[in-house]
Amino acid sequence: QVQLVESGGGLVQPGGSLRLSCAASGFTFSRYTMYWYRQAPGKERELVAGITSAGSSRSVLDSVKGRFTISRDNAKNTMYLQMNSLKPEDTAVYYCNAPRVAWGQGTQVTVSS
């Protein structure tokens, strides 16, 4: 069964950090470029970051550059999103995606004092 499961979301104060994880199963994770998306209330889903299969190339949304880092561990079939210096505007449901394969169920990130 193809599956992506996100974890690591929660409530954090502005300036805080969280690390999201995306555990993959049922497909050859190491062959896929992977992505993190987010969707804030009342807004469209947006691409946050992407990482190639070997992790050799990464890209992130301009508004999170210098604060968010995407990484992966192919041996563990897991992708990560390290989020530092969080802001209230980062509040959203965060999803991981393997193109044409699967979406995760999402994990809620709330940044609030």
Side-chain angles (χ1 to χ4, degrees), residues 59-76:
S59 62
V60 297
L61 187 66
D62 283 348
S63 62
V64 306
K65 280 182 179 178
R67 301 188 297 121
F68 290 13
T69 303
I70 186 172
S71 62
R72 66 191 295 161
D73 185 338
N74 287 339
K76 295 183 177 179

Side-chain angles (χ1 to χ4, degrees), residues 10-18 85-92 108-113:
L11 173 64
V12 63
Q13 292 186 343
S17 297
L18 286 173
S85 301
L86 283 160
K87 304 176 180 180
E89 52 263 43
D90 295 318
T91 295
Q108 176 70 49
V109 172
T110 302
V111 185
S112 175
S113 56

Side-chain angles (χ1 to χ4, degrees), residues 41-54:
K43 295 188 177 181
E44 293 188 354
R45 191 172 296 189
E46 64 177 351
L47 177 62
V48 176
I51 185 167
T52 55
S53 56

Side-chain angles (χ1 to χ4, degrees), residues 1-4 24-27 102:
Q1 180 183 3
V2 174
Q3 198 171 15
L4 294 173
S25 59
F27 66 101

Side-chain angles (χ1 to χ4, degrees), residues 1-5 22-34 72 77 97-99 101-103:
Q1 180 183 3
V2 174
Q3 198 171 15
L4 294 173
V5 179
C22 170
S25 59
F27 66 101
T28 308
F29 175 78
S30 60
R31 293 182 180 176
Y32 284 82
T33 293
M34 296 290 295
R72 66 191 295 161
N77 289 341
N97 170 247
V101 175
W103 284 90

